[in-house]
Amino acid sequence: MQWMGLGNLWFALIIPAIIVLYLLKRKVEDRVIPSTLLWQRTMQNWEAVKPWERLRRNLLLLLQLLAACLLVLALIRPAVPTEGITTDHTILVVDTSGSMMTKEGNETRLERAVSQAKALVEKLGSGQTMTLIEAGREPNVLVSKSADKEPLLQAIEKLAPFSGTSDQIAALSLAGAIAENEPGSGVVWMGDGSGERKLDGGSVPAFSGSFQFMQMGSTRENTAIGVFVTQPTEKGVEGLLRVDNHGSMPAKGKVTVFDEHDKLLDTDSFEMGAGSSQTFSFQKLAMSSVYRAVIEPEQDGLSQDNVMWSVPFAAGRGKAALYSPEGNRFLHQVLQTVGSLEVETIQQAPDAVAAARDLWVFDGVVPDQLPKGNILLIAPNKKTEWLPLAGEKELDQQPRPVSPDDPLLKHVDWRDVHVAKGYALDEMPGMKPLVRAGDVDLVRAGIIDGRRMVIIGFDLHASDFPLRPAFPIFMQNVVNWLSPGQTAPIPTAHPGEVLTIPLSPGATTRTLTYPNGHQESLTEDSTSKTMQLPELTGLYRLDEGVDTGTKSTYFTVQMNEEESNITPKSVSVARKNAEEQKESEEATATDTTGALGTKELTYWLAAFALLVLLVEWRVYQRGY
Amino acid sequence: MNQHLLDPSWLARLERMQMASRKAVSGSQAGKRRARQLGSSMEFADFRAYVPGDDLRQLDWNAYARSGKLFLKKYLDETELHVNLYIDCSRSMSYGQPNKMARAVEIAAALGYLSLCHLDHVSVYAFDSRITAALTGLQGKNQAHRLLSFLSSLQEGGTGDVQTAMRQPGAVSGKAGTSIVLSDFLFESGYTEGIAYLQAAKQEVTLVQVLSKEELAPEYAGELRLIDSETGQAKEVSLTSPLMEEYHKSLRDYQQELSAFAYGRGIAFVSVEAEQSLESIVFHVFRQAGLIR
């Protein structure tokens, strides 16, 4: 119950006013009668037998007070929550984030939301329309302003949870924008509010119209694997596992580690208090290319976060080839020092089908055709098909970083560097200048033909660059960037994210196997593939056919850790008052001014007051 | 004769009626009332055989002449009745249209007149909390004008109290008889002891409650302060219809109490409405109640 017009409460003053008037009006008429004997006896009986009957003496007053109370109540406009929708146009936003997969009783939160949403649709009256938005990673309008129940029900039926985190702000902004354009709109949000990206004040534009949050969750008991990492050591593989209890009650259960063939490797049990974490360390795990940890908690809301894979992290060494016909001591030395590369010095230019390398370094030569792999090109003195060389230029200006924020130029100090002459290059699509002297680009970096490439546009011998502290730092940055993923494991990703998968150069076939067994051939002929991950958690495998056989790379896609905290929270938005645009008030879950929820009782109360007045008139007429 | 007290048209009818009473006495003066015991009146009762010691004057000589046997002819005795009329003259009796007092006086006049016609002794007492006026020892129809002029002179007075009034010296005649109390019986201090006192003085008591319509069915409304005409006591009431019902119930209860008291002590009780006509009171109510015949 809430009051829509509490400001009218001062009308309640009418009640004391009536009483005062009644007291003033009450005049006692003197009347002499033969004997009061009978009246005394009457009053004695009256007062003794029926004390409450005294109230009847003022039946009229009571009726007047009742009528006044009802009218005052009507004026402050009480409203009660109702089942149906009251707004003309309802924007129904359904959260489908990972935490909605939480099982509550026999159904998941999303299933509950679906059934409630269907119930809302069934209750749509004539003339009422509904827009259905799925608050996924990106808000998605499934049905737009439809009065037809069938497509709405079908769309609701198709709602499926995704393992990621929904973008609440975007969904609210979208819903708010639609509400703003459609007068008489109300937003209904169905979700649990947990795990979602926090709404910080002001980021969501306030909108007029009602907002109703329907909480779908109630439990907060969930145990999840927070971290699972494995690392090969000399004695075998070590695993580190952290189990988090997000709930409010102690949790206990069993934790098990399997290898890639589902062979049980180790097991342990956990028991921990509310809101705490427990760390396990597994020693000497048998060798496997991937490990799987499973927890079996006794009570658990969300089962999707009870499994985690880990790919052992081994700092592998990339392969680099240095082709420097004239020899370059500085370069040779620095390549040995920076990064973790096996540097092979080759004596002749590689042909097109030459063995793949993670990194090619060309010093003073320009290959006619680009080999497979990333390329560092120093002193490009020859014009080729892909290299628009303009000519050699004397330089009289200091090198100056064009974009100092670039990761390649991090910590690199160009102030003491002097370059005598450089090779001017024409515009190259995909390459951007990093360092410039006059109008000559000294360093360019970018992607050409699917490869990463850095061009140092001067001969190192024609400068004092190798003698400066900047040189090893710059080379470290360059090598790191040019051999990014090939030697490091692919980091754990979240569903729906954009992930850059490094590819082995020179692989003949590439097949990506999804956790559900679906296989996809990659036709990219580059050093990396950038892809948007599907909404599918689990272990992904990339099989590449290289000259040494098949190389398998694993990476895991896991649910956002935030989603494991399934504690229901309320979603609140700043609201714009329809009358006073500047004044915004807070609407929370308990606020039932929403699209559902409010049925004003004013008319009923007024009608009842009228009825009381009629009764009062009748009573007055009959002279009670 | 005061014409306004009794309508001459039905005086003749009244003369044919007589008081029913068990308390007739054989007095020095022969009344007109037929006694139950045998006596010396002209009314023939029975024959019986002579036994020695009987009054020879009562022998039926004619029968002796014809049969030679001695028969005694028996006559009923003639007795006289003392009728005492008590009229409540308290202030509460001055209500009603006509007022209760006037009606009570008329009833007393009617009863007194018919008693005088039967040569009964008639005494009239007016009382409130004491005997305010009395006229005693009337007998014979020729005294009727005294009775009526006395009754016409009665004035309503102070607070009624039958208890103290009856105990006053001279309030009760020494002779057995019949006493009729005409009152509204709305006495603050009650009535039981006063009536019992009267009964103890060998009186056959009859209570006639005279109530006005104002008391039987009040037509008041609104917020009232009811003031007692005698005591000046005030009672604030706001009259509602349930309260009215409660009043009627109280009234019924009070009358039932009164009649139960009367019944318990062998007293006749009659309730009349002041607004009723005198004729219907006397010829219907009293006759039905067996007060007169």
Side-chain angles (χ1 to χ4, degrees):
Chain A
M1 177 76 76
Q2 52 156 175
W3 315 100
M4 317 284 281
L6 212 53
N8 291 328
L9 195 60
W10 62 269
F11 278 108
L13 289 175
I14 196 172
I15 290 164
I18 288 175
I19 295 174
V20 167
L21 284 175
Y22 207 85
L23 291 175
L24 289 177
K25 188 210 97 175
R26 202 178 124 102
K27 262 193 204 156
V28 181
E29 196 185 325
D30 282 355
R31 190 167 188 131
V32 182
I33 58 162
S35 172
T36 54
L37 184 72
L38 287 171
W39 283 108
Q40 277 170 28
R41 291 168 66 104
T42 305
M43 297 312 282
Q44 259 172 21
N45 291 350
W46 188 256
E47 280 155 19
V49 176
K50 298 171 186 166
W52 58 271
E53 290 279 3
R54 297 180 62 148
L55 289 178
R56 275 218 222 164
R57 290 172 57 171
N58 290 323
L59 191 58
L60 276 180
L61 171 67
L62 291 179
L63 284 170
Q64 275 164 15
L65 288 180
L66 179 61
C69 284
L70 285 170
L71 284 174
V72 170
L73 267 178
L75 280 171
I76 61 176
R77 296 166 62 202
V80 290
T82 51
E83 288 283 303
I85 292 174
T86 53
T87 48
D88 296 337
H89 175 220
T90 305
I91 301 155
L92 178 65
V93 187
V94 182
D95 181 12
T96 52
S97 65
S99 58
M100 291 294 282
M101 289 190 273
T102 304
K103 247 195 144 95
E104 305 227 4
N106 291 327
E107 54 178 6
T108 65
R109 289 179 179 177
L110 186 66
E111 281 164 1
R112 197 170 148 208
V114 163
S115 61
Q116 292 200 9
K118 278 156 86 177
L120 277 190
V121 171
E122 295 289 355
K123 281 184 193 135
L124 275 183
S126 66
Q128 288 185 316
T129 53
M130 187 182 268
T131 295
L132 181 66
I133 297 178
E134 179 189 4
R137 189 172 311 283
E138 282 150 13
N140 186 11
V141 179
L142 298 177
V143 180
S144 181
K145 206 179 178 207
S146 169
D148 193 0
K149 292 178 183 177
E150 203 47 45
L152 281 167
L153 288 174
Q154 280 176 4
I156 290 169
E157 196 68 53
K158 277 185 199 150
L159 285 174
F162 72 101
S163 317
T165 300
S166 63
D167 192 344
Q168 256 186 16
I169 299 170
L172 275 177
S173 300
L174 179 64
I178 296 173
E180 201 73 9
N181 287 335
E182 291 279 343
S185 291
V187 177
V188 177
W189 182 286
M190 283 187 179
D192 55 1
S194 65
E196 264 78 30
R197 258 181 249 176
K198 292 285 161 296
L199 298 166
D200 37 353
S203 60
V204 178
F207 58 91
S208 57
S210 59
F211 177 79
Q212 164 89 13
F213 174 68
M214 290 175 78
Q215 177 62 260
M216 290 297 140
S218 56
T219 180
R220 52 177 296 186
E221 301 311 318
N222 188 36
T223 312
I225 300 179
V227 176
F228 180 41
V229 288
T230 48
Q231 192 174 16
T233 60
E234 286 161 12
K235 294 171 185 170
V237 179
E238 260 182 32
L240 189 75
L241 179 83
R242 194 188 78 218
V243 179
D244 299 327
N245 179 11
H246 296 281
S248 57
M249 287 193 282
K252 60 181 183 179
K254 204 166 75 160
V255 54
T256 322
V257 178
F258 298 93
D259 72 355
E260 61 185 311
H261 305 295
D262 279 343
K263 189 180 144 201
L264 196 148
L265 298 179
D266 205 344
T267 183
D268 207 339
S269 64
F270 61 85
E271 196 169 344
M272 58 190 146
S276 65
S277 297
Q278 194 172 344
T279 310
F280 299 92
S281 147
F282 299 100
Q283 305 289 336
K284 293 183 197 167
L285 292 172
M287 279 303 288
S288 174
S289 49
V290 63
Y291 295 92
R292 183 164 65 99
V294 178
I295 55 165
E296 291 165 50
E298 280 183 356
Q299 50 177 331
D300 191 45
L302 195 57
S303 59
Q304 276 75 7
D305 55 11
N306 293 351
V307 181
M308 196 178 267
W309 282 266
S310 174
V311 180
F313 172 79
R317 292 177 77 82
K319 282 184 182 171
L322 171 63
Y323 181 37
S324 176
E326 289 174 19
N328 193 330
R329 191 178 172 76
F330 300 115
L331 198 57
H332 203 267
Q333 190 62 44
V334 83
L335 287 175
Q336 300 292 339
T337 318
V338 302
S340 54
L341 291 168
E342 280 174 29
V343 183
E344 180 193 355
T345 309
I346 54 172
Q347 298 306 321
Q348 60 176 51
D351 50 32
V353 291
R357 296 289 191 278
D358 292 323
L359 174 63
W360 296 95
V361 183
F362 296 103
D363 179 31
V365 287
V366 180
D368 292 333
Q369 278 190 318
L370 287 172
K372 287 172 181 169
N374 296 336
I375 292 167
L376 169 62
L377 190 63
I378 299 166
N381 52 7
K382 195 174 92 180
K383 181 174 179 167
T384 63
E385 228 175 90
W386 54 272
L387 190 74
L389 183 70
E392 198 173 358
K393 268 196 175 175
E394 293 285 332
L395 300 175
D396 49 1
Q397 286 184 5
Q398 271 291 109
R400 181 176 51 81
V402 179
S403 48
D405 297 333
D406 197 279
L408 285 177
L409 299 183
K410 212 174 172 185
H411 308 302
V412 180
D413 186 0
W414 291 92
R415 279 175 298 184
D416 293 337
V417 177
H418 302 88
V419 181
K421 55 181 180 181
Y423 298 96
L425 294 167
D426 281 345
E427 204 55 39
M428 290 174 77
M431 300 289 284
K432 61 174 183 179
L434 295 182
V435 182
R436 216 175 232 185
D439 55 351
V440 176
D441 292 344
L442 291 182
V443 179
R444 278 186 182 182
I447 294 172
I448 284 188
D449 219 0
R451 306 159 168 75
R452 288 189 179 182
M453 182 182 281
V454 175
I455 300 172
I456 299 175
F458 57 93
D459 191 349
L460 293 179
H461 297 98
S463 77
D464 57 358
F465 186 36
L467 306 175
R468 299 297 169 207
F471 182 62
I473 300 171
F474 176 70
M475 286 308 285
Q476 172 80 48
N477 292 347
V478 166
V479 168
N480 271 357
W481 188 68
L482 287 177
S483 56
Q486 279 77 1
T487 54
I490 306 170
T492 298
H494 300 308
E497 268 186 357
V498 174
L499 181 69
T500 302
I501 308 165
L503 301 175
S504 302
T508 48
T509 58
R510 292 193 180 96
T511 311
L512 183 62
T513 309
Y514 287 80
N516 56 7
H518 172 73
Q519 290 196 325
E520 185 186 330
S521 290
L522 304 181
T523 52
E524 261 88 350
D525 188 24
S526 60
T527 56
S528 66
K529 176 180 167 58
T530 302
M531 65 178 286
Q532 182 171 16
L533 292 168
E535 301 291 349
L536 203 58
T537 54
L539 187 68
Y540 288 70
R541 190 179 78 227
L542 176 68
D543 295 318
E544 290 173 305
V546 289
D547 46 2
T548 53
T550 304
K551 182 186 169 196
S552 292
T553 319
Y554 293 94
F555 63 94
T556 63
V557 174
Q558 256 147 22
M559 229 168 85
N560 200 324
E561 201 186 328
E562 284 171 27
E563 293 294 320
S564 294
N565 187 357
I566 60 169
T567 309
K569 299 182 199 83
S570 73
V571 173
S572 62
V573 293
R575 269 189 41 222
K576 208 182 332 182
N577 198 315
E579 288 99 82
E580 295 163 54
Q581 297 278 325
K582 283 179 184 170
E583 192 183 308
S584 67
E585 56 183 279
E586 197 81 347
T588 61
T590 52
D591 185 355
T592 49
T593 57
L596 312 171
T598 56
K599 182 179 173 64
E600 277 193 39
L601 300 176
T602 304
Y603 296 110
W604 286 105
L605 286 168
F608 197 51
L610 193 67
L611 189 74
V612 171
L613 279 176
L614 281 174
V615 170
E616 189 203 342
W617 173 71
R618 189 87 190 112
V619 163
Y620 175 75
Q621 243 195 355
R622 294 192 53 177
Y624 277 105
Chain B
M1 186 177 291
N2 297 50
Q3 290 300 321
H4 64 275
L5 262 182
L6 290 175
D7 190 348
S9 64
W10 49 280
L11 283 180
R13 202 175 155 200
L14 205 56
E15 281 169 29
R16 288 199 294 276
M17 315 296 290
Q18 74 172 133
M19 296 288 290
S21 177
R22 285 170 274 121
K23 290 276 179 175
V25 288
S26 314
S28 51
Q29 290 176 307
K32 219 181 169 187
R33 189 170 292 270
R34 219 178 286 120
R36 293 233 165 74
Q37 53 276 66
L38 300 173
S40 56
S41 74
M42 296 302 289
E43 297 265 343
F44 169 76
D46 203 0
F47 287 105
R48 77 171 164 80
Y50 172 81
V51 288
D54 279 340
D55 190 355
L56 291 176
R57 284 177 299 176
Q58 289 179 351
L59 280 173
D60 190 346
W61 298 111
N62 290 332
Y64 178 70
R66 280 197 293 274
S67 63
K69 286 177 182 169
L70 287 169
F71 284 100
L72 220 57
K73 198 175 179 182
K74 302 217 66 168
Y75 295 90
L76 286 176
D77 197 5
E78 284 200 332
T79 60
E80 55 184 5
L81 180 65
H82 288 265
V83 176
N84 302 312
L85 297 168
Y86 291 88
I87 300 169
D88 182 2
C89 290
S90 64
R91 210 174 295 135
S92 67
M93 291 295 282
S94 62
Y95 288 82
Q97 195 55 268
N99 69 38
K100 296 186 279 179
M101 172 89 177
R103 193 53 91 204
V105 164
E106 282 174 355
I107 295 168
L111 294 177
Y113 180 76
L114 74 87
S115 297
L116 288 177
C117 288
H118 287 90
L119 294 176
D120 291 334
H121 293 268
V122 173
S123 301
V124 186
Y125 303 87
F127 72 95
D128 42 32
S129 58
R130 60 193 174 87
I131 302 297
T132 51
L135 181 67
T136 56
L138 299 176
Q139 196 180 27
K141 203 172 166 184
N142 56 346
Q143 301 276 17
H145 73 278
R146 276 187 69 200
L147 170 76
L148 295 178
S149 64
F150 171 78
L151 285 173
S152 331
S153 70
L154 289 179
Q155 295 285 324
E156 70 264 8
T159 313
D161 185 355
V162 75
Q163 315 268 52
T164 52
M166 289 302 161
R167 292 172 189 214
Q168 288 222 317
V172 185
S173 87
K175 302 223 169 68
T178 184
S179 288
I180 298 167
V181 185
L182 297 156
S183 171
D184 54 10
F185 293 97
L186 299 175
F187 300 113
E188 205 76 46
S189 51
Y191 47 84
T192 50
E193 288 162 40
I195 303 301
Y197 190 81
L198 196 59
Q199 213 179 10
K202 294 183 274 179
Q203 297 294 315
E204 186 187 350
V205 182
T206 297
L207 305 181
V208 179
Q209 190 184 28
V210 186
L211 289 176
S212 65
K213 202 164 193 167
E214 187 183 341
E215 285 154 323
L216 290 167
E219 285 178 341
Y220 313 143
E223 303 283 332
L224 292 179
R225 185 189 286 126
L226 300 174
I227 298 168
D228 194 302
S229 60
E230 294 177 11
T231 60
Q233 278 181 347
K235 194 83 194 163
E236 268 188 37
V237 289
S238 55
L239 286 164
T240 59
S241 121
L243 187 69
M244 263 324 184
E245 277 172 29
E246 190 64 35
Y247 173 81
H248 286 295
K249 189 172 169 287
S250 301
L251 178 67
R252 275 197 308 277
D253 288 352
Y254 191 76
Q255 285 187 309
Q256 264 167 21
E257 275 174 38
L258 195 56
S259 87
F261 161 76
Y263 182 77
R265 298 191 68 102
I267 297 172
F269 169 74
V270 175
S271 178
V272 299
E273 196 176 326
E275 278 75 5
Q276 256 178 309
S277 74
L278 181 64
E279 203 175 346
S280 79
I281 291 171
V282 173
F283 292 120
H284 292 116
V285 182
F286 283 13
R287 253 174 106 172
Q288 253 171 16
L291 277 178
I292 57 176
R293 59 179 186 234

